[in-house]
Amino acid sequence: MDVLNLVKSVRDRVGEPLGDALSAVRIAGNWRMPLLLAVSKGFITPVYRAAFLASAAGSGVLGWLAVRPCDLESLAGKLGAAQDKQRLRAWLELGVRLGELDRREGCYRLKSIAARTLARAGNDALAAALEEVLRFHVPVLLGGPRMAATGERFSLGDQDGLVIARSTRVIEPFVEAAIARTLDRDNAVRLLEVGCGSGVHVRHAAQLNPRLSALAIDMQEEVAETATKNMAEWGLADRVETRQGDLRTLDLQPQFDLVTMHNNIYYFAEDERVAALAKARSLLAPGGRILLTTSCQGGNIGLDVLSLWFTYADFGGPLPREEELVAQLERAGFTGVEAARLVPGEQFRAFTATSK
């Protein structure tokens, strides 16, 4: 990079005059400056953009702006920020500076392709996945050495169960395919769903079998409450009971024909998984089945970071290996254990087995 191009690059990025020629020469002679600019453009700015988009999507701003441009007053009213419009304006203006938003005639509107894409209702799971990466994956990468030194651990409270429930809908079609292959559609079925999230998988099962009834539990109270509201909105409140609960402490008779566990076996520590699976088996009627879907080790880098997060948590553990989980199901008393890949080229699998 010659001196003139370097001066222009610095001026464009910093937005301030460089002063006299001597200042330009001094900057050109500083080997750190090109490196700083490259790091800013290649790493720092994309992180800022991703964080802004995740926040704008999660707060509802992208959705509102997808309907129509909004001025500061209307956005502040929607967000409940009428008493602090100055800070909201600063946040919105940064979105303009990053190129995600535009402001014309006092109204903010979507600008970038990424903002327009994430604003679409059908892409909420992608927006939630981005938020999950920034809020949960990045902290374990940043804090790993310190936490290993201090013994600090993540807790269930460090997760936002509603964000997780939204983000896991990215793989919803594959889970639905596994449910469709496993579920008995001809007879009345009593289903227990462990870790129900938003309840969408129970809804799918209920749509496939009109005679199905279910108990759906989740360890996080706010998630269970959301699932309860969803069941009412979907017209399933008379067929599906939802409650906060932990599989390990459920006091129920063996009455279920099918137990489902989707994307949550790693919420149990490795040395607790056989006992948890045995508990699930104890709740099945004779001949009942389990359907367990989960990401396994050896997948994409995002799954490796997810596994790392649970390694650093005070509950749960790393993602399972396929052969390991098959063995754990057998040790828990299940027979006919089968594993099937759900996503081509990825380590997302469905495990089915039958109670003795």
Side-chain angles (χ1 to χ4, degrees), residues 16 58 83 93 139 145 171 183 216 227 260 262 283-284 286 304-305 349:
E16 297 179 356
Q83 303 303 315
E93 288 298 319
I171 54 175
L183 183 67
T260 53
H262 301 300
L283 300 175
L284 286 168
D304 284 345
V305 180
R349 299 182 181 273

Side-chain angles (χ1 to χ4, degrees), residues 311-330:
T311 301
Y312 272 79
D314 63 6
F315 67 100
L319 298 185
R321 295 184 299 275
E322 178 187 353
E323 65 278 8
E324 171 189 58
L325 190 48
V326 168
Q328 289 170 340
L329 282 161
E330 291 173 342

Side-chain angles (χ1 to χ4, degrees), residues 97-160:
R97 175 71 186 275
L98 289 168
E100 308 303 338
L101 304 181
D102 190 17
R103 176 175 41 77
R104 281 182 276 169
E105 300 177 350
C107 288
Y108 295 94
R109 61 194 70 213
L110 302 177
K111 181 179 181 182
S112 71
I113 294 175
R116 294 176 183 275
T117 300
L118 293 179
R120 296 173 189 155
N123 289 337
D124 178 68
L126 295 176
L130 178 60
E131 185 173 353
E132 178 184 346
V133 166
L134 291 164
R135 291 180 58 186
F136 311 129
H137 293 198
V138 170
V140 72
L141 293 173
L142 288 174
R146 171 184 53 79
M147 294 175 71
T150 64
E152 180 184 350
R153 297 274 186 167
F154 294 115
S155 70
L156 188 59
D158 290 312
Q159 281 195 349
D160 186 327

